[in-house]
Amino acid sequence: MGYQGWSSPPKSTEILWDTYGVPHIYAKDTQSAFQAFGWAQMQSHGNLLLRLYGQARGRAAEYWGENYLESDKWVQTMGVPSRASSWYQMQSPAFRKYLDAFAVGINDYAKEHSDAIDDAVKVVLPVKGEDVLAHLQRLLNFTFIVNPEQVAGVSQEESKAGSNGWAIAPKRSASGKAMLLANPHLPWSDLFLWYEAQITAPGIDAYGASLVGIPVLNIAFNNNLGWTHTVNTHDGWDAYELDLVGDSYRFDDKVRPFETKTISLQVKQEDGKLREQPLVVKSSVHGPVVTEKADKAIALRVVGLDQPGALEQWWDMARSQNFPQFQKALQRLQIPMFTVIYADREGHIMHLFNGQVPVHQTGDFQYWQGIIPGNTSKTLWTKTHPYQDLPRVTDPPSGWLQNANDPPWTTTFPLAIKADKYPPYMAPRSMDFRAQRSVRMLAEDEKISFEEMIKYKHSTRMELADRILDDLIPAAKKYGNELAQRAADVLARWDRQANADSRGAVLFANWVEQLDFDTAFSKPWSEKSPRTTPDGLADPQSAVVALATAAAAVEKTYSRLDVPWGDVFRLKYGKTDLPANGGNGNLGIFRVLYFVPTENDRFQPVAGDSYVAAIEFSQPVKAMALTSYGNSSQPGSPHTEQQLQMFARQELRPVWRSPQEIKAHLQERKVFRN
């Protein structure tokens, strides 16, 4: 295994950079592979990586000023830097060496290419193994599982982090080979950027993507198997309300003192001097206190803080050569959340609702979304569910599995995981329009080819339009004024897609913005008809009034009702500005892009389709991929924005994995002499 195309492992370690800026690392041993990967990440994302590590230390305000103070307060209140040190000690001796090697690669690059790195971020150097773990923790536990915005509003507002994942078994694949679709949707900036790479060393030959600053591949495949992740409906944090008694709190009819420590934060001033700011961190038995008002406080409890093995687990998942080996790695449950969608050469497919799920004595999923009474041990969870308790399905009769951030129950039809067999707090019961669209495409095609899977991945058809236009158009004809009737004519002619040239999509999306999804439909979502509800308009007349309002706004802003989608929604990123396709998943679009307003009443993407990989486990493996925003964020790199043209054309590019393919598309070669 490993070294396809090589007669034996190389004596030295090298990075072959292809013309898309993807590093293909061929290493003489594992330690050298980690070191080369650290080097590669610095070459492609050095400024970003150092800034992220500075924030994970909780010292960003000291380095870069007042704007980072809130970030430091969050990181320090959550105990990230000190916990990273203990996590580092808890790594296996071998893996600790690998983390150190990744840090060495980062530092070596910075020494050798000092001019390529912003002066402002050099203060973070040198990087240590602990920094990698601090970044991992800030990313997983304190951004994905819970972030400061959620806590500030103690809200569950819509996250811009999502994904699609598919696994198709041989019985449903045109080639008779299993296929996998990896399609995370994350913000196009900051700690959410994907980095595409290949890592080959004795015992591993894996291709995939990691989030910048992470030393292993998070989504990957090899010659025998592959997996992707989606953000699952996982509840890994709780906010507990405490009754204060002076400087203490009440718990089980006793008054307990808080554990208190004071951390001195340094804040860089405009004149370069440091101002000291004390941060008092109070903790209850639940966890750190995040807000305090009058006689109440809110304390936060987060899963996974005693589970330091996520990186080694991902590494071993990528090294696995068959399903039993892969499952053995999964059973460690070190990765605190994310669905796992898996496929392999032998034809197995699997969906695992992965994560550290608290064991609760009471309540359903909804109950645990609110503020929890913190005055009793009855609500305080202390354990998480073992692997065997988690919803999962292998090789379902349907021959396909999907997840579009819906709960695990709707992964395939006929249903393969029964919600009633699990605690009611495990996951909610719901299915949104994007998941319904995902299921429709899979269920309606008996034999899906590799090319069709790629075509479906790019589908911008709006499931919500298919569901509701048969009610809206006749209602507009019946109740509408002249403007509403013209709007109905535009919607009747529209192709129900959000492609660049789709006319009617802007009008429809504008109308949908006025809907309250909880009350708009005459038939609410039902578990009995999960794929065809909600449906019908609860109040057709007010829906038509809303259509007239949307039409007036669209016509006033764009001078026409049938303005093409791509005129309004632009693929604007860096210096690139192209007509966009895709849109909000709420519309039931599988090809997800989230936009924000920009000048001239246009919109630009901030999140959505980021890394995409389509894989067929044939011999050799067939794979196509795209990293929407390119594989580098360093100023002046030819690989920033490089792939946006293909994104606009709804294309993927071939994945080069063999030395022959890579050498045919070689841009640069870096050989490490050690």
Short mmCIF file of all heavy atoms in Angstrom, two decimals, residues 45 48 186-190 192-194 570-580 593-595 598-599 603-610 627-634 639-645 647:
data_model
loop_
_atom_site.label_atom_id
_atom_site.label_comp_id
_atom_site.label_asym_id
_atom_site.label_seq_id
_atom_site.Cartn_x
_atom_site.Cartn_y
_atom_site.Cartn_z
N HIS A 45 -0.86 29.04 3.11
CA HIS A 45 -1.76 29.78 4.01
C HIS A 45 -1.02 30.35 5.22
O HIS A 45 -1.61 30.47 6.30
CB HIS A 45 -2.87 28.85 4.52
CG HIS A 45 -3.85 28.43 3.48
ND1 HIS A 45 -4.79 29.28 2.94
CD2 HIS A 45 -4.06 27.22 2.88
CE1 HIS A 45 -5.54 28.62 2.06
NE2 HIS A 45 -5.11 27.39 2.00
N LEU A 48 -2.56 33.28 7.41
CA LEU A 48 -3.79 32.84 8.09
C LEU A 48 -3.46 31.87 9.22
O LEU A 48 -3.96 32.00 10.34
CB LEU A 48 -4.74 32.18 7.08
CG LEU A 48 -6.00 31.52 7.67
CD1 LEU A 48 -6.89 32.55 8.36
CD2 LEU A 48 -6.78 30.79 6.57
N LEU A 186 -18.93 25.50 4.11
CA LEU A 186 -18.43 26.28 5.25
C LEU A 186 -18.18 27.72 4.80
O LEU A 186 -18.11 27.99 3.59
CB LEU A 186 -17.12 25.68 5.78
CG LEU A 186 -17.22 24.31 6.47
CD1 LEU A 186 -15.84 23.89 6.96
CD2 LEU A 186 -18.20 24.31 7.61
N PRO A 187 -18.04 28.65 5.75
CA PRO A 187 -17.66 30.01 5.37
C PRO A 187 -16.37 30.01 4.54
O PRO A 187 -15.51 29.15 4.73
CB PRO A 187 -17.46 30.70 6.72
CG PRO A 187 -18.43 29.99 7.63
CD PRO A 187 -18.36 28.55 7.19
N TRP A 188 -16.26 30.98 3.65
CA TRP A 188 -15.12 31.07 2.74
C TRP A 188 -14.00 31.92 3.34
O TRP A 188 -13.34 32.68 2.63
CB TRP A 188 -15.57 31.67 1.39
CG TRP A 188 -16.36 30.72 0.54
CD1 TRP A 188 -16.98 29.57 0.93
CD2 TRP A 188 -16.60 30.84 -0.87
NE1 TRP A 188 -17.60 28.97 -0.14
CE2 TRP A 188 -17.39 29.73 -1.26
CE3 TRP A 188 -16.26 31.79 -1.83
CZ2 TRP A 188 -17.83 29.55 -2.57
CZ3 TRP A 188 -16.69 31.60 -3.13
CH2 TRP A 188 -17.46 30.49 -3.51
N SER A 189 -13.76 31.81 4.62
CA SER A 189 -12.75 32.66 5.25
C SER A 189 -12.36 32.08 6.61
O SER A 189 -12.99 31.15 7.10
CB SER A 189 -13.31 34.08 5.46
OG SER A 189 -14.48 34.02 6.26
N ASP A 190 -11.31 32.67 7.17
CA ASP A 190 -10.92 32.45 8.56
C ASP A 190 -10.63 30.96 8.82
O ASP A 190 -10.05 30.29 7.98
CB ASP A 190 -12.00 33.01 9.49
CG ASP A 190 -11.52 33.20 10.93
OD1 ASP A 190 -10.38 33.65 11.10
OD2 ASP A 190 -12.26 32.90 11.86
N PHE A 192 -12.28 28.42 8.68
CA PHE A 192 -13.11 27.43 7.96
C PHE A 192 -12.53 27.06 6.59
O PHE A 192 -13.14 26.28 5.87
CB PHE A 192 -14.52 27.99 7.76
CG PHE A 192 -15.24 28.26 9.05
CD1 PHE A 192 -15.35 29.54 9.55
CD2 PHE A 192 -15.81 27.22 9.77
CE1 PHE A 192 -16.03 29.80 10.74
CE2 PHE A 192 -16.49 27.47 10.96
CZ PHE A 192 -16.60 28.75 11.44
N LEU A 193 -11.38 27.64 6.20
CA LEU A 193 -10.86 27.36 4.85
C LEU A 193 -10.32 25.94 4.74
O LEU A 193 -9.59 25.47 5.61
CB LEU A 193 -9.72 28.33 4.50
CG LEU A 193 -10.09 29.76 4.07
CD1 LEU A 193 -8.87 30.42 3.43
CD2 LEU A 193 -11.27 29.83 3.13
N TRP A 194 -10.69 25.29 3.63
CA TRP A 194 -10.18 23.94 3.34
C TRP A 194 -8.85 24.02 2.60
O TRP A 194 -8.62 24.95 1.82
CB TRP A 194 -11.18 23.16 2.48
CG TRP A 194 -12.41 22.77 3.22
CD1 TRP A 194 -13.64 23.34 3.12
CD2 TRP A 194 -12.54 21.72 4.19
NE1 TRP A 194 -14.53 22.72 3.96
CE2 TRP A 194 -13.88 21.72 4.64
CE3 TRP A 194 -11.65 20.79 4.74
CZ2 TRP A 194 -14.36 20.83 5.60
CZ3 TRP A 194 -12.12 19.90 5.69
CH2 TRP A 194 -13.45 19.92 6.11
N ARG A 570 -23.60 37.34 -7.46
CA ARG A 570 -22.32 37.33 -8.14
C ARG A 570 -21.32 36.44 -7.42
O ARG A 570 -21.33 36.36 -6.19
CB ARG A 570 -21.73 38.76 -8.19
CG ARG A 570 -22.65 39.81 -8.78
CD ARG A 570 -22.94 39.59 -10.23
NE ARG A 570 -21.73 39.60 -11.04
CZ ARG A 570 -21.73 39.29 -12.35
NH1 ARG A 570 -22.85 38.94 -12.96
NH2 ARG A 570 -20.60 39.32 -13.03
N LEU A 571 -20.48 35.81 -8.18
CA LEU A 571 -19.38 35.02 -7.62
C LEU A 571 -18.21 35.99 -7.46
O LEU A 571 -17.25 35.97 -8.22
CB LEU A 571 -19.05 33.90 -8.60
CG LEU A 571 -18.51 32.60 -8.04
CD1 LEU A 571 -19.32 32.12 -6.84
CD2 LEU A 571 -18.51 31.53 -9.11
N LYS A 572 -18.35 36.87 -6.47
CA LYS A 572 -17.36 37.93 -6.27
C LYS A 572 -16.46 37.50 -5.11
O LYS A 572 -16.93 37.30 -4.00
CB LYS A 572 -18.10 39.23 -5.93
CG LYS A 572 -17.24 40.49 -5.98
CD LYS A 572 -18.15 41.71 -5.85
CE LYS A 572 -17.45 43.02 -6.05
NZ LYS A 572 -16.19 43.21 -5.39
N TYR A 573 -15.20 37.31 -5.41
CA TYR A 573 -14.25 36.85 -4.40
C TYR A 573 -12.88 37.33 -4.84
O TYR A 573 -12.44 37.01 -5.95
CB TYR A 573 -14.29 35.32 -4.31
CG TYR A 573 -13.51 34.74 -3.15
CD1 TYR A 573 -14.07 34.64 -1.89
CD2 TYR A 573 -12.20 34.28 -3.33
CE1 TYR A 573 -13.35 34.10 -0.82
CE2 TYR A 573 -11.48 33.74 -2.27
CZ TYR A 573 -12.07 33.66 -1.02
OH TYR A 573 -11.36 33.12 0.04
N GLY A 574 -12.22 38.13 -4.01
CA GLY A 574 -10.96 38.71 -4.44
C GLY A 574 -11.20 39.60 -5.65
O GLY A 574 -12.08 40.44 -5.66
N LYS A 575 -10.45 39.33 -6.74
CA LYS A 575 -10.61 40.15 -7.96
C LYS A 575 -11.59 39.52 -8.94
O LYS A 575 -11.84 40.07 -10.01
CB LYS A 575 -9.24 40.31 -8.63
CG LYS A 575 -8.28 41.14 -7.78
CD LYS A 575 -6.94 41.31 -8.47
CE LYS A 575 -5.99 42.09 -7.57
NZ LYS A 575 -4.62 41.66 -7.70
N THR A 576 -12.11 38.36 -8.61
CA THR A 576 -13.03 37.66 -9.53
C THR A 576 -14.45 38.14 -9.32
O THR A 576 -14.88 38.38 -8.19
CB THR A 576 -12.95 36.14 -9.27
OG1 THR A 576 -11.60 35.72 -9.42
CG2 THR A 576 -13.83 35.36 -10.23
N ASP A 577 -15.18 38.30 -10.43
CA ASP A 577 -16.59 38.69 -10.33
C ASP A 577 -17.33 38.04 -11.50
O ASP A 577 -17.25 38.49 -12.64
CB ASP A 577 -16.72 40.23 -10.38
CG ASP A 577 -18.15 40.70 -10.12
OD1 ASP A 577 -19.04 39.85 -9.95
OD2 ASP A 577 -18.37 41.92 -10.09
N LEU A 578 -18.01 36.93 -11.21
CA LEU A 578 -18.69 36.15 -12.25
C LEU A 578 -20.15 35.96 -11.85
O LEU A 578 -20.51 36.06 -10.68
CB LEU A 578 -18.04 34.75 -12.35
CG LEU A 578 -16.57 34.69 -12.75
CD1 LEU A 578 -15.98 33.32 -12.39
CD2 LEU A 578 -16.42 34.96 -14.23
N PRO A 579 -21.03 35.66 -12.84
CA PRO A 579 -22.41 35.33 -12.47
C PRO A 579 -22.43 34.05 -11.63
O PRO A 579 -21.76 33.07 -11.98
CB PRO A 579 -23.10 35.10 -13.82
CG PRO A 579 -22.16 35.65 -14.86
CD PRO A 579 -20.79 35.58 -14.28
N ALA A 580 -23.18 34.06 -10.54
CA ALA A 580 -23.20 32.90 -9.63
C ALA A 580 -24.33 31.95 -9.98
O ALA A 580 -25.30 32.31 -10.66
CB ALA A 580 -23.34 33.38 -8.19
N LEU A 593 -25.00 28.11 -1.68
CA LEU A 593 -24.18 29.30 -1.50
C LEU A 593 -24.95 30.26 -0.62
O LEU A 593 -26.15 30.47 -0.84
CB LEU A 593 -23.88 30.00 -2.83
CG LEU A 593 -22.67 29.55 -3.64
CD1 LEU A 593 -22.46 30.50 -4.82
CD2 LEU A 593 -21.39 29.51 -2.81
N TYR A 594 -24.28 30.83 0.37
CA TYR A 594 -24.90 31.87 1.20
C TYR A 594 -24.30 33.21 0.79
O TYR A 594 -23.08 33.34 0.70
CB TYR A 594 -24.62 31.61 2.68
CG TYR A 594 -25.32 30.39 3.21
CD1 TYR A 594 -24.61 29.22 3.47
CD2 TYR A 594 -26.69 30.40 3.44
CE1 TYR A 594 -25.25 28.09 3.95
CE2 TYR A 594 -27.34 29.27 3.92
CZ TYR A 594 -26.62 28.12 4.18
OH TYR A 594 -27.26 27.01 4.65
N PHE A 595 -25.17 34.16 0.51
CA PHE A 595 -24.74 35.47 0.02
C PHE A 595 -25.00 36.57 1.03
O PHE A 595 -25.91 36.45 1.85
CB PHE A 595 -25.52 35.82 -1.26
CG PHE A 595 -25.25 34.91 -2.43
CD1 PHE A 595 -26.03 33.78 -2.66
CD2 PHE A 595 -24.22 35.19 -3.32
CE1 PHE A 595 -25.80 32.95 -3.75
CE2 PHE A 595 -23.98 34.37 -4.42
CZ PHE A 595 -24.77 33.25 -4.63
N THR A 598 -23.91 43.41 -1.25
CA THR A 598 -22.74 44.23 -1.53
C THR A 598 -23.26 45.51 -2.21
O THR A 598 -24.45 45.78 -2.15
CB THR A 598 -21.73 43.43 -2.39
OG1 THR A 598 -20.72 44.29 -2.83
CG2 THR A 598 -22.35 42.76 -3.58
N GLU A 599 -22.40 46.27 -2.88
CA GLU A 599 -22.91 47.53 -3.45
C GLU A 599 -23.81 47.25 -4.65
O GLU A 599 -23.80 46.16 -5.22
CB GLU A 599 -21.75 48.46 -3.84
CG GLU A 599 -20.83 47.97 -4.95
CD GLU A 599 -19.80 46.95 -4.48
OE1 GLU A 599 -19.35 47.04 -3.32
OE2 GLU A 599 -19.48 46.06 -5.26
N PHE A 603 -25.19 40.77 -4.62
CA PHE A 603 -24.85 39.92 -3.48
C PHE A 603 -23.59 39.13 -3.80
O PHE A 603 -23.36 38.78 -4.95
CB PHE A 603 -26.01 38.95 -3.19
CG PHE A 603 -27.27 39.64 -2.74
CD1 PHE A 603 -28.13 40.22 -3.66
CD2 PHE A 603 -27.58 39.73 -1.39
CE1 PHE A 603 -29.28 40.88 -3.26
CE2 PHE A 603 -28.73 40.38 -0.97
CZ PHE A 603 -29.59 40.96 -1.90
N GLN A 604 -22.80 38.82 -2.76
CA GLN A 604 -21.60 38.02 -2.97
C GLN A 604 -21.55 36.89 -1.95
O GLN A 604 -22.12 37.00 -0.87
CB GLN A 604 -20.35 38.89 -2.90
CG GLN A 604 -20.05 39.42 -1.51
CD GLN A 604 -18.80 40.30 -1.52
OE1 GLN A 604 -18.69 41.23 -2.31
NE2 GLN A 604 -17.87 40.00 -0.62
N PRO A 605 -20.86 35.77 -2.30
CA PRO A 605 -20.88 34.61 -1.41
C PRO A 605 -19.97 34.79 -0.20
O PRO A 605 -18.89 35.37 -0.32
CB PRO A 605 -20.37 33.47 -2.29
CG PRO A 605 -19.54 34.15 -3.33
CD PRO A 605 -20.11 35.53 -3.53
N VAL A 606 -20.42 34.30 0.96
CA VAL A 606 -19.56 34.28 2.14
C VAL A 606 -19.39 32.85 2.67
O VAL A 606 -18.58 32.60 3.54
CB VAL A 606 -20.10 35.16 3.27
CG1 VAL A 606 -19.94 36.64 2.93
CG2 VAL A 606 -21.55 34.84 3.59
N ALA A 607 -20.20 31.94 2.15
CA ALA A 607 -20.15 30.56 2.64
C ALA A 607 -20.87 29.66 1.63
O ALA A 607 -21.56 30.15 0.74
CB ALA A 607 -20.85 30.46 4.00
N GLY A 608 -20.70 28.36 1.83
CA GLY A 608 -21.39 27.40 0.96
C GLY A 608 -20.41 26.39 0.41
O GLY A 608 -19.38 26.10 1.03
N ASP A 609 -20.72 25.83 -0.77
CA ASP A 609 -19.85 24.84 -1.41
C ASP A 609 -18.41 25.30 -1.31
O ASP A 609 -18.05 26.35 -1.84
CB ASP A 609 -20.21 24.72 -2.89
CG ASP A 609 -21.25 23.63 -3.14
OD1 ASP A 609 -21.90 23.21 -2.19
OD2 ASP A 609 -21.38 23.22 -4.31
N SER A 610 -17.58 24.51 -0.61
CA SER A 610 -16.21 24.94 -0.43
C SER A 610 -15.25 23.91 -1.03
O SER A 610 -14.65 24.15 -2.05
CB SER A 610 -15.92 25.25 1.04
OG SER A 610 -16.63 24.40 1.90
N THR A 627 -11.80 22.98 -5.03
CA THR A 627 -11.77 23.82 -3.84
C THR A 627 -12.15 25.21 -4.34
O THR A 627 -11.36 25.88 -5.00
CB THR A 627 -10.39 23.80 -3.17
OG1 THR A 627 -10.09 22.43 -2.82
CG2 THR A 627 -10.37 24.63 -1.90
N SER A 628 -13.38 25.61 -4.04
CA SER A 628 -14.02 26.75 -4.71
C SER A 628 -13.11 27.97 -4.81
O SER A 628 -12.96 28.57 -5.87
CB SER A 628 -15.28 27.16 -3.95
OG SER A 628 -16.10 26.05 -3.75
N TYR A 629 -12.51 28.35 -3.68
CA TYR A 629 -11.76 29.62 -3.61
C TYR A 629 -10.28 29.41 -3.88
O TYR A 629 -9.47 30.31 -3.62
CB TYR A 629 -11.97 30.27 -2.24
CG TYR A 629 -12.13 29.25 -1.12
CD1 TYR A 629 -11.08 28.41 -0.75
CD2 TYR A 629 -13.35 29.10 -0.47
CE1 TYR A 629 -11.23 27.46 0.24
CE2 TYR A 629 -13.51 28.14 0.54
CZ TYR A 629 -12.45 27.33 0.89
OH TYR A 629 -12.61 26.38 1.86
N GLY A 630 -9.91 28.23 -4.37
CA GLY A 630 -8.50 27.98 -4.65
C GLY A 630 -7.77 27.42 -3.44
O GLY A 630 -8.30 27.37 -2.34
N ASN A 631 -6.51 27.01 -3.65
CA ASN A 631 -5.81 26.26 -2.60
C ASN A 631 -4.74 27.09 -1.90
O ASN A 631 -3.80 26.55 -1.33
CB ASN A 631 -5.18 24.98 -3.18
CG ASN A 631 -5.21 23.84 -2.17
OD1 ASN A 631 -6.15 23.72 -1.38
ND2 ASN A 631 -4.19 23.00 -2.17
N SER A 632 -4.89 28.42 -1.95
CA SER A 632 -3.95 29.28 -1.22
C SER A 632 -4.64 30.58 -0.86
O SER A 632 -5.47 31.07 -1.62
CB SER A 632 -2.72 29.56 -2.09
OG SER A 632 -1.92 30.54 -1.46
N SER A 633 -4.27 31.13 0.29
CA SER A 633 -4.77 32.47 0.67
C SER A 633 -3.62 33.47 0.77
O SER A 633 -3.83 34.60 1.18
CB SER A 633 -5.53 32.40 2.00
OG SER A 633 -4.68 31.92 3.03
N GLN A 634 -2.42 33.04 0.41
CA GLN A 634 -1.26 33.95 0.51
C GLN A 634 -1.32 35.01 -0.60
O GLN A 634 -1.60 34.68 -1.75
CB GLN A 634 0.05 33.18 0.41
CG GLN A 634 0.44 32.46 1.70
CD GLN A 634 0.62 33.39 2.88
OE1 GLN A 634 -0.31 33.62 3.63
NE2 GLN A 634 1.82 33.93 3.05
N HIS A 639 -2.72 30.63 -6.95
CA HIS A 639 -3.75 29.62 -6.64
C HIS A 639 -4.92 30.17 -5.83
O HIS A 639 -5.80 29.42 -5.43
CB HIS A 639 -3.11 28.43 -5.93
CG HIS A 639 -1.95 27.88 -6.70
ND1 HIS A 639 -2.09 27.38 -7.98
CD2 HIS A 639 -0.62 27.79 -6.40
CE1 HIS A 639 -0.91 26.99 -8.43
NE2 HIS A 639 0.00 27.23 -7.49
N THR A 640 -4.93 31.48 -5.55
CA THR A 640 -6.14 32.05 -4.95
C THR A 640 -7.10 32.33 -6.10
O THR A 640 -6.68 32.76 -7.17
CB THR A 640 -5.83 33.38 -4.22
OG1 THR A 640 -5.27 34.28 -5.17
CG2 THR A 640 -4.87 33.21 -3.08
N GLU A 641 -8.34 32.05 -5.91
CA GLU A 641 -9.41 32.29 -6.90
C GLU A 641 -9.27 31.45 -8.17
O GLU A 641 -10.07 31.58 -9.08
CB GLU A 641 -9.46 33.77 -7.32
CG GLU A 641 -9.57 34.76 -6.18
CD GLU A 641 -9.28 36.18 -6.64
OE1 GLU A 641 -9.81 36.60 -7.67
OE2 GLU A 641 -8.51 36.87 -5.95
N GLN A 642 -8.25 30.59 -8.24
CA GLN A 642 -7.92 29.91 -9.50
C GLN A 642 -9.05 29.01 -10.00
O GLN A 642 -9.20 28.80 -11.19
CB GLN A 642 -6.65 29.09 -9.27
CG GLN A 642 -6.10 28.39 -10.49
CD GLN A 642 -4.92 27.50 -10.13
OE1 GLN A 642 -4.72 27.18 -8.96
NE2 GLN A 642 -4.15 27.10 -11.12
N GLN A 643 -9.86 28.48 -9.07
CA GLN A 643 -10.86 27.48 -9.47
C GLN A 643 -12.27 28.05 -9.59
O GLN A 643 -13.22 27.32 -9.87
CB GLN A 643 -10.82 26.31 -8.48
CG GLN A 643 -9.43 25.65 -8.44
CD GLN A 643 -9.31 24.52 -7.43
OE1 GLN A 643 -10.13 23.62 -7.40
NE2 GLN A 643 -8.28 24.58 -6.60
N LEU A 644 -12.41 29.37 -9.40
CA LEU A 644 -13.75 29.97 -9.42
C LEU A 644 -14.41 29.90 -10.79
O LEU A 644 -15.63 29.80 -10.89
CB LEU A 644 -13.70 31.41 -8.93
CG LEU A 644 -13.65 31.56 -7.39
CD1 LEU A 644 -13.25 32.97 -7.01
CD2 LEU A 644 -15.00 31.22 -6.76
N GLN A 645 -13.61 29.96 -11.85
CA GLN A 645 -14.19 29.84 -13.21
C GLN A 645 -14.88 28.49 -13.36
O GLN A 645 -15.98 28.40 -13.91
CB GLN A 645 -13.09 29.97 -14.28
CG GLN A 645 -12.45 31.34 -14.36
CD GLN A 645 -13.25 32.31 -15.22
OE1 GLN A 645 -14.28 31.97 -15.78
NE2 GLN A 645 -12.77 33.55 -15.30
N PHE A 647 -15.99 26.66 -10.89
CA PHE A 647 -17.15 26.72 -9.99
C PHE A 647 -18.34 27.34 -10.72
O PHE A 647 -19.45 26.82 -10.68
CB PHE A 647 -16.77 27.56 -8.76
CG PHE A 647 -17.82 27.61 -7.68
CD1 PHE A 647 -17.73 26.79 -6.58
CD2 PHE A 647 -18.89 28.48 -7.77
CE1 PHE A 647 -18.70 26.83 -5.57
CE2 PHE A 647 -19.86 28.54 -6.78
CZ PHE A 647 -19.76 27.71 -5.68
#
